[in-house]
Amino acid sequence: MTQPSPADVPRWSPRERAQVLGEVRLSDADCVALVLAKGRPAARAEQLAHDLLREFGGLAGLAGRGVRELQRAGVGPAGAAALVGAFGLARRLEEQAFRPGRRLR
């Protein structure tokens, strides 16, 4: 497979960027958009992700929101639940990784 042209990458969806470039090359908004999967009638998931990150002051601010608050911000019930679940998994992974007595690699 040939390397993608830098001019083509911005036109790709977050899913395409993840498949071709890998997760480490995604922006926070790309990752949020992947979890949301769908946007709202007036905006695609990518735009909604940018709006949420701006409204809540970035990833840490977004991570602290509950389902109801996300819904008030324009996220549908399924997207709000998916975001809360994704941030919950990240918190559990962090807690597990830094448990006393656990060896760090």
Side-chain angles (χ1 to χ4, degrees):
M1 181 175 185
T2 62
Q3 195 66 340
S5 159
D8 291 332
V9 174
R11 292 189 295 249
W12 293 353
S13 71
R15 185 179 331 149
E16 291 168 324
R17 286 192 290 274
Q19 290 170 335
V20 175
L21 303 174
E23 171 271 327
V24 296
R25 301 279 306 272
L26 298 178
S27 69
D28 290 348
D30 286 338
C31 292
V32 171
L34 285 169
V35 173
L36 289 172
K38 294 182 180 180
R40 52 187 173 215
R44 295 184 358 230
E46 288 175 85
Q47 185 59 53
L48 179 55
H50 281 284
D51 293 348
L52 291 169
L53 289 167
R54 187 173 31 257
E55 180 173 343
F56 296 118
L59 209 50
L62 183 57
R65 308 303 171 183
V67 170
R68 286 192 179 102
E69 192 169 2
L70 291 170
Q71 286 183 278
R72 283 193 298 272
V75 181
L83 273 176
V84 169
F87 285 121
L89 282 173
R91 270 189 288 280
R92 291 174 188 188
L93 182 60
E94 183 180 25
E95 289 168 3
Q96 194 175 50
F98 296 110
R99 193 173 289 151
R102 184 173 172 99
R103 289 181 71 184
L104 298 177
R105 294 181 200 196

